[in-house]
Amino acid sequence: FGRIKLFYDAKLNRNFVQKSLINSIPENCERLIREGKMYLKLANSPNIVDIVSYDFNHLNPSLLLPYYELELVSKVVEKGK
């Protein structure tokens, strides 16, 4: 269903994950777009990972999310990110 790529931003000194599709059939595109919209809708929830960027293009949608290393997301949330 999905492809995950790890990116490093030298300016921010931080890793990010891009989630995109292996097979961009309409059904898969709709699923990923729906997932992205849920991230946006729940953005203020302390239990949801922030969405950094998104592309809701129906031909090849993608999401850009922060990448957390070596600790649980719950610990990051406790620290206030």
Side-chain angles (χ1 to χ4, degrees):
F1 173 78
R3 175 181 296 124
I4 303 294
K5 291 183 183 176
L6 182 63
F7 291 94
Y8 177 73
D9 185 318
K11 283 185 180 179
L12 297 174
N13 190 31
R14 187 164 181 197
N15 287 319
F16 294 92
V17 173
Q18 180 188 41
K19 186 173 184 179
S20 60
L21 297 171
I22 294 170
N23 186 2
S24 299
I25 62 172
E27 179 183 334
N28 290 346
C29 291
E30 284 298 322
R31 288 166 100 191
L32 189 59
I33 290 169
R34 191 168 47 246
E35 178 182 340
K37 288 180 178 179
M38 289 304 295
Y39 276 115
L40 294 173
K41 185 177 181 179
L42 300 170
N44 294 323
S45 173
N47 299 318
I48 301 296
V49 174
D50 295 330
I51 186 168
V52 177
S53 181
Y54 58 89
D55 181 356
F56 290 160
N57 171 343
H58 283 271
L59 298 176
N60 190 24
S62 64
L63 305 174
L64 188 65
L65 308 164
Y67 178 76
Y68 297 101
E69 292 186 53
L70 303 177
E71 61 184 333
L72 299 173
V73 172
S74 60
K75 292 195 183 239
V76 174
V77 170
E78 287 173 16
K79 292 179 187 176
K81 299 180 191 174

